[in-house]
Amino acid sequence: MIRSATSGPAARPRCAEPGRDCPLCPRLVDFRETWRSREPGWHNAPVPSFLPEGGPDAVRLLVVGLAPGLRGANRTGRPFTGDYAGDLLYATLSRFGFANGRFDARPDDGLELIGTAITNAVRCVPPENKPVGAEINTCRDFLAGTIGRFAHLRAIVTLGRIAHDSTVRALGARPSTAPFGHGAAADLSGLRIFSSYHCSRYNTNTGRLTEAMFVDVFDQAAEHLGRD
Ligand code: URA
């Protein structure tokens, strides 16, 4: 069933990308500073959205993850790059033609996104992969700004409940109007929002998310975009 939800008034234009030294979340700033001194060669900064070759105007599908992994995106500077979650995500994107080239878990591996962008609900790495509510709320302005950049956006795939609820709120609606559920879909602000369990190692190791379940969500998104 595709739910249809109404959203609030159009938001004012917002900034899409935090600066390298974004000061907004004190706990995340402290964590970033700790890792900057421990690993000066790492990215250790808000991780920018990964855009396709044609830039913002080419984006029809947006994937929203949770937050950079410490040794993944926080190290490499590209979402889902360098930790396990990226292996399944990029393989699935390639399977549906949303990505092209060889994914080698490095930002210079040459992999390109096709009509697709990837971002995170929280841009800085949180301790133990767990952003707190205030950090999710604060970073939502950047998520709203990111969504607002894409004039031809048609669909969003949210990975996990936190990314989903923050995306729904960024679109001006309450999560109860477009509830999270693996394989669920809802129409909001002219976009179709597909939700999936997060492709984390924990979820795949425990069997909560299988490859087939993940593929199925992108299959729905591809079908929607194909029909559009
Ligand atoms: N890497 C990301 O960039 N985001 C996630 O949600 C998980 C890993």
Side-chain angles (χ1 to χ4, degrees), residues 47 65-69 72-73 78-81 83 85-86 119-120 159 198:
V47 173
L66 171 60
R78 193 177 74 177
F80 289 91
T81 299
D83 54 25
T119 196
N120 282 305
L159 303 180
H198 193 283

Side-chain angles (χ1 to χ4, degrees), residues 146-167:
T146 299
I147 294 170
R149 276 177 93 183
F150 305 139
H152 302 113
L153 186 65
R154 306 302 306 142
I156 301 180
V157 174
T158 58
L159 303 180
R161 182 184 297 274
I162 290 176
H164 180 77
D165 287 358
S166 198
T167 300

Side-chain angles (χ1 to χ4, degrees), residues 1-217:
M1 184 187 66
I2 311 295
R3 281 178 181 260
S4 212
T6 48
S7 54
R12 65 194 154 78
R14 287 154 154 176
C15 177
E17 297 295 334
R20 231 192 111 70
D21 294 314
C22 179
L24 296 177
C25 302
R27 190 182 75 120
L28 302 187
V29 171
D30 277 358
F31 197 55
R32 183 170 81 205
E33 290 306 328
T34 301
W35 281 95
R36 278 184 183 175
S37 40
R38 274 191 206 162
E39 294 288 351
W42 288 10
H43 175 75
N44 289 317
V47 173
S49 307
F50 185 13
L51 299 186
E53 194 58 9
D57 280 352
V59 175
R60 297 178 74 233
L61 172 67
L62 174 65
V63 178
V64 182
L66 171 60
L70 178 63
R71 292 180 169 73
N74 175 63
R75 175 176 59 85
T76 64
R78 193 177 74 177
F80 289 91
T81 299
D83 54 25
Y84 174 85
D87 294 350
L88 179 54
L89 176 62
Y90 285 108
T92 307
L93 291 174
S94 295
R95 177 175 179 147
F96 289 98
F98 294 130
N100 195 18
R102 199 169 100 80
F103 172 66
D104 197 21
R106 294 178 291 111
D108 60 353
D109 57 11
L111 182 100
E112 280 179 6
L113 295 176
I114 316 284
T116 301
I118 306 176
T119 196
N120 282 305
V122 174
R123 301 301 184 88
C124 288
V125 58
E128 289 165 24
N129 270 339
K130 287 194 181 78
V132 299
E135 293 157 356
I136 299 162
N137 292 341
T138 298
C139 216
R140 187 171 310 118
D141 244 10
F142 298 111
L143 178 57
T146 299
I147 294 170
R149 276 177 93 183
F150 305 139
H152 302 113
L153 186 65
R154 306 302 306 142
I156 301 180
V157 174
T158 58
L159 303 180
R161 182 184 297 274
I162 290 176
H164 180 77
D165 287 358
S166 198
T167 300
V168 172
R169 288 186 202 278
L171 290 168
R174 283 194 313 273
S176 58
T177 63
F180 173 78
H182 183 84
D187 287 334
L188 199 54
S189 302
L191 304 172
R192 186 157 296 177
I193 319 297
F194 298 92
S195 46
S196 169
Y197 292 139
H198 193 283
C199 50
S200 63
R201 188 196 290 273
Y202 179 82
N203 279 347
T204 53
N205 277 355
T206 56
R208 183 171 180 81
L209 178 72
T210 63
E211 186 183 334
M213 286 165 68
F214 197 61
V215 164
D216 192 51
V217 172

